[in-house]
């Protein structure tokens, strides 16, 4: 059977390993597994949200309100924008897919950082578009501009992952706004800001303001998610914020009822529980200092992170081997071999989880 020829050049996205896999393969009890591979919230989901999901579970047979009226209005109020400036996705990566299908095709190209979220390239190849990457792993805007200006008529979309996944670095917002002024209004600039809450908490200069995007940059879209700081990775709710014209075009691609009745209620309630978010952010950066100190002690290169994870780059040790050995001990970390790096990424956990990870890493590296 023949399939779309664009699929021939694709490999499957490698997600973080689930707890169930470790239980099956190594016979470890679920309670003894520490999963710090997928950048989920280590505190889980707030009790307020859990109770709301339980209350609405009886309506699981009903389709959600496809206008997402209450969620959009809550986001509009939070960011001081209009509800018409918002599109809801099944995770922010679905909005990435909307953007690719709306702008990219076999006659144009997409520009991204040297190492960044893998789905940008995967979705780009779905439509047969060309991929341009910077030589720099992180976001070097000078290099971005050089590539863009040399291929201006070809590049339809620019992806800026701020903060950058899977590395963790982040540019100052003013730098980014200046960059935007150099870009043609015919080029869509996608700000993937899945970790923006973390960046703002650590350094307010990193905060990308959705209202500024809407009001000043008609060719840009801001992407946010409930999967990280809000603890709703399993609910799959994300959103895009942009000029009404962009949102209207993306809406033509969105399928009806693209998030669930339970997901919708969970996201609405999550926005109301800022105390849970603040607790998560405070723990994250307090505990991250322990990993930074550990890296210095063992001469491991790490990237200053504005996210809920830290990336360790290894010189002599094999990161893949370390990840596999940790897996056998019931600790799930993320191997970055698929990104062409001898590195691993660790989601910042609760203190007891970090105690265990650092203890086992120390045994392996000493």
């Amino acid at each position: 059977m023949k399939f779309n020829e664009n699929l021939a050049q694709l490999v499957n996205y490698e997600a973080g390993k689930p707890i169930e896999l470790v239980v099956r393969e190594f016979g470890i009890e679920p309670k003894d597994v520490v999963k710090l591979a997928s950048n989920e919230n280590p505190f889980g989901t707030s009790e307020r949200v859990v109770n709301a999901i339980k209350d609405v579970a009886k309506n699981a047979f009903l389709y959600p309100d496809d206008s997402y009226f209450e969620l959009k209005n809550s986001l509009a109020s939070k960011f001081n924008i209009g509800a018409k400036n918002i599109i809801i996705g099944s995770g922010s990566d679905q909005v990435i897919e909307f953007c690719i299908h709306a702008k990219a095709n076999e006659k144009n190209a997409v520009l991204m950082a040297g190492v960044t979220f893998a789905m940008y390239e995967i979705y780009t190849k779905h439509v047969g578009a060309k991929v341009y990457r910077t030589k720099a792993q992180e976001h070097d805007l000078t290099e971005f501009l050089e590539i863009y200006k040399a291929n201006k008529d070809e590049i339809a979309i620019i992806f800026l992952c701020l903060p950058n996944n899977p590395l963790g670095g982040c540019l100052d917002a003013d730098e980014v706004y200046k960059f935007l002024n150099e870009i043609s209004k015919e080029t869509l600039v996608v700000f993937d800001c899945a970790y923006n809450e973390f960046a703002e908490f650590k350094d307010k200069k990193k905060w990308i303001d959705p209202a500024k995007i809407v009001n000043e940059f008609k060719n840009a879209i801001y992407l946010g998610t409930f999967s990280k700081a809000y603890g709703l990775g399993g609910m799959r709710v994300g959103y895009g914020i942009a000029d009404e014209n962009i949102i209207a075009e993306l809406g033509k691609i969105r399928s009806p009822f693209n998030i669930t009745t339970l997901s919708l209620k969970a996201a609405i309630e999550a926005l109301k529980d800022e105390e849970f978010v603040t607790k998560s952010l405070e723990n994250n950066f307090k505990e991250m200092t322990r990993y930074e100190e550990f890296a210095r002690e063992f001469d491991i290169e790490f990237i200053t992170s504005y996210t809920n994870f830290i990336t360790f780059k290894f010189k002599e040790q094999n990161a893949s081997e370390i990840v596999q050995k940790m897996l056998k001990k019931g600790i799930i970390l993320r191997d970055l071999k698929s990104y062409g790096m001898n590195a691993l990424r660790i989601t910042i956990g609760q203190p007891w989880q970090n105690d265990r990870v650092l203890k086992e890493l120390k045994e392996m590296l000493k």
Side-chain angles (χ1 to χ4, degrees):
M1 182 183 293
K2 291 185 177 180
F3 292 91
N4 188 318
E5 63 183 19
N6 293 328
L7 298 182
Q9 57 181 322
L10 287 175
V11 295
N12 290 337
Y13 175 76
E14 184 182 328
K17 289 180 170 57
I19 291 172
E20 292 80 2
L21 180 144
V22 179
V23 172
R24 287 194 306 269
E25 290 195 4
F26 303 110
I28 299 170
E29 290 293 322
K31 64 180 178 62
D32 295 325
V33 177
V34 172
K35 184 187 179 189
L36 296 178
S38 300
N39 304 337
E40 296 143 330
N41 191 314
F43 292 103
T45 304
S46 84
E47 279 301 308
R48 177 175 187 150
V49 174
V50 171
N51 291 331
I53 293 171
K54 289 177 181 176
D55 288 343
V56 81
K58 63 182 179 294
N59 294 330
F61 71 102
L62 293 172
Y63 290 117
D65 167 16
D66 192 51
S67 73
Y68 305 132
F69 177 85
E70 188 175 355
L71 177 56
K72 285 184 178 180
N73 277 278
S74 296
L75 287 167
S77 177
K78 176 180 176 64
F79 294 122
N80 194 28
I81 55 172
K84 289 184 178 180
N85 296 117
I86 302 169
I87 188 168
I88 302 300
S90 178
S92 56
D93 50 328
Q94 187 180 47
V95 188
I96 294 168
E97 187 176 14
F98 294 161
C99 292
I100 293 285
H101 282 268
K103 281 287 287 181
N105 57 54
E106 68 281 354
K107 296 178 181 179
N108 58 36
V110 175
L111 173 60
M112 62 194 71
V115 176
T116 194
F117 186 42
M119 291 309 299
Y120 305 152
E121 180 169 358
I122 291 172
Y123 286 138
T124 298
K125 288 182 176 179
H126 282 185
V127 299
K130 185 175 181 178
V131 174
Y132 284 109
R133 286 183 180 270
T134 60
K135 292 180 181 178
Q137 290 183 336
E138 281 280 18
H139 289 76
D140 180 338
L141 293 183
T142 299
E143 191 181 355
F144 263 86
L145 266 181
E146 288 174 357
I147 296 173
Y148 178 72
K149 288 179 177 179
N151 304 277
K152 185 176 180 179
D153 294 335
E154 191 181 8
I155 294 173
I157 305 175
I158 298 173
F159 278 102
L160 298 177
C161 190
L162 302 171
N164 191 17
N165 178 28
L167 300 181
C170 193
L171 300 171
D172 285 356
D174 285 347
E175 247 187 294
V176 178
Y177 300 146
K178 184 179 178 182
F179 170 81
L180 268 176
N181 287 320
E182 300 288 326
I183 304 303
S184 165
K185 300 306 177 189
E186 290 301 312
T187 303
L188 179 64
V189 182
V190 180
F191 289 98
D192 186 350
C193 295
Y195 300 90
N196 207 13
E197 291 88 355
F198 296 92
E200 182 195 23
F201 186 86
K202 185 171 184 176
D203 184 350
K204 294 192 182 302
K205 295 195 299 294
K206 308 295 182 183
W207 169 251
I208 302 295
D209 182 1
K212 189 175 181 72
I213 298 298
V214 168
N215 296 325
E216 298 183 25
F217 302 105
K218 304 300 182 183
N219 62 322
I221 182 168
Y222 172 103
L223 307 185
T225 185
F226 286 89
S227 296
K228 309 303 177 187
Y230 288 94
L232 295 183
M235 289 280 106
R236 309 306 299 128
V237 187
Y239 53 91
I241 296 175
D243 180 77
E244 287 183 31
N245 291 327
I246 293 177
I247 298 300
E249 291 301 309
L250 299 186
K252 296 174 183 178
I253 299 169
R254 185 186 71 85
S255 60
F257 314 119
N258 61 320
I259 66 171
T260 70
T261 297
L262 273 62
S263 298
L264 177 58
K265 183 63 174 178
I268 291 167
E269 290 303 313
L271 281 174
K272 299 174 184 176
D273 197 347
E274 286 298 329
E275 184 179 339
F276 174 80
V277 174
T278 300
K279 169 188 171 184
S280 301
L281 296 173
E282 287 175 346
N283 172 80
N284 183 76
F285 289 108
K286 180 181 179 182
E287 289 293 303
M288 188 180 289
T289 60
R290 299 177 61 194
Y291 284 97
E292 292 171 342
E293 290 166 3
F294 179 89
R296 293 187 188 100
E297 180 183 350
F298 286 87
D299 193 29
I300 300 169
E301 182 183 352
F302 68 93
I303 298 167
T304 300
S305 176
Y306 295 86
T307 65
N308 65 345
F309 62 82
I310 189 166
T311 297
F312 282 180
K313 293 181 174 182
F314 292 91
K315 301 166 187 172
E316 297 176 3
Q317 297 98 336
N318 186 305
S320 297
E321 290 179 4
I322 293 171
V323 170
Q324 193 60 30
K325 288 177 182 177
M326 294 289 277
L327 200 60
K328 291 178 181 178
K329 294 178 177 291
I331 297 171
I332 310 174
L333 308 179
R334 183 62 185 270
D335 184 3
L336 298 185
K337 184 179 179 180
S338 63
Y339 286 88
M341 299 175 65
N342 181 31
L344 60 84
R345 189 187 68 190
I346 307 170
T347 305
I348 307 302
Q350 292 190 49
W352 69 270
Q353 293 172 310
N354 301 324
D355 287 346
R356 188 166 159 202
V357 171
L358 292 170
K359 177 178 178 294
E360 295 294 349
L361 279 176
K362 186 174 184 178
E363 287 297 314
M364 288 182 192
L365 298 174
K366 70 181 183 181

